[in-house]
Amino acid sequence: MTAVLCVAAEAFPLIKTGGLGDVVGALPGALAPHCVTITTLLPLYPSIRKAIGDAPFLHRYDGLLGFRATLL
């Protein structure tokens, strides 16, 4: 099993403005038969916050490239 971290600005069905959202949204399903699991990180846009509800806090980075980042 291979694990891949995908960082993107959009992913269907949570947020999509163009073709990137389609590709990022379809990639995990397309690679699953090849024993590849994908975890996708997205910015916490208001529409994503609404879709995930009260997601559990996982980790906070206080100095990630000069900014604070929180994983939910």
Side-chain angles (χ1 to χ4, degrees), residues 3-72:
V4 174
L5 175 63
C6 176
V7 180
E10 57 185 85
F12 180 81
L14 295 172
I15 183 91
K16 176 185 159 353
T17 60
L20 175 65
D22 292 325
V23 172
V24 174
L27 199 56
L31 292 179
H34 303 283
C35 297
V36 176
T37 60
I38 296 183
T39 299
T40 304
L41 294 181
L42 298 169
L44 190 58
Y45 300 121
S47 61
I48 293 176
R49 170 55 105 180
K50 183 178 177 183
I52 65 172
D54 291 329
F57 169 83
L58 296 177
H59 188 75
R60 174 172 290 128
Y61 297 93
D62 289 324
L64 186 65
L65 301 174
F67 297 93
R68 184 175 57 186
T70 304
L71 296 179
L72 301 176

